[in-house]
Amino acid sequence: MQRSSDTTLDFDLELAKKASSENPVFYVQYAHARICSIFRPAQGIETFQTNEPTVLQADKTFLIEPTERTLILKLLSYPDEIRWAASERAPYQLARYAQELATLFHQFYQQCRVLNPQDQNLTLARLHLVLATRIVLRNLLTDI
């Protein structure tokens, strides 16, 4: 649901069946699945630990790329989005936010190499960003 409840709903059943970026639900779920797939190979890299406490202690000053900063700003707006959607009784805003967050994550993923065994600090900082995105997407997918 990406629109106000007072607008006409045009439901495209064929689009809902598509497993492509055209389908907003699939697109958001794919972002979450992609994030989960990042952590699997990270467990096998011996140069760093990828457990949550280690990732959360990462030095975030390494996150300087424009796509990283844009994703960070979007994540920081999550509490405000929740408050606004609740106060306006507008759950469709959270669906829109989820899709925007997925888009920004996909852009970040295409432009920034997350796992880099030669740069442990940058890898941990990016894993922290990926972990934060996973948490927000999981909340959006399960709590809307």
Side-chain angles (χ1 to χ4, degrees):
M1 177 187 237
Q2 294 181 342
R3 296 182 219 153
S4 173
S5 60
D6 60 353
T7 60
T8 304
L9 175 66
D10 294 324
F11 188 78
D12 185 346
L13 185 59
E14 293 306 312
L15 177 60
K17 292 179 189 178
K18 283 186 180 180
S20 73
S21 62
E22 296 173 33
N23 179 341
V25 175
F26 175 82
Y27 191 67
V28 173
Q29 290 173 331
Y30 180 65
H32 186 268
R34 178 175 261 178
I35 289 169
C36 292
S37 74
I38 290 171
F39 282 93
R40 272 183 238 118
Q43 300 300 329
I45 298 175
E46 294 179 19
T47 57
F48 58 88
Q49 293 290 319
T50 58
N51 56 38
E52 274 192 37
T54 303
V55 170
L56 293 175
Q57 294 171 6
D59 183 356
K60 276 61 106 194
T61 61
F62 286 91
L63 301 175
I64 58 172
E65 295 297 322
T67 56
E68 294 167 335
R69 298 183 68 75
T70 303
L71 183 56
I72 290 167
L73 290 173
K74 188 57 138 178
L75 289 167
L76 289 171
S77 72
Y78 180 57
D80 293 332
E81 294 283 343
I82 295 287
R83 279 191 288 277
W84 188 89
S87 70
E88 297 297 317
R89 294 185 176 98
Y92 63 90
Q93 287 295 103
L94 297 179
R96 178 198 46 78
Y97 175 84
Q99 189 173 8
E100 291 172 1
L101 181 61
T103 298
L104 293 175
F105 174 75
H106 288 301
Q107 290 170 355
F108 156 76
Y109 182 80
Q110 290 173 349
Q111 295 178 18
C112 297
R113 181 176 178 191
V114 177
L115 302 178
N116 184 349
Q118 286 75 40
D119 194 339
Q120 178 179 357
N121 292 323
L122 180 59
T123 296
L124 287 173
R126 286 183 174 161
L127 283 172
H128 182 268
L129 180 55
V130 170
L131 178 63
T133 306
R134 181 177 74 182
I135 291 168
V136 171
L137 284 175
R138 182 181 59 218
N139 290 343
L140 288 163
L141 288 167
T142 60
D143 294 339
I144 292 182

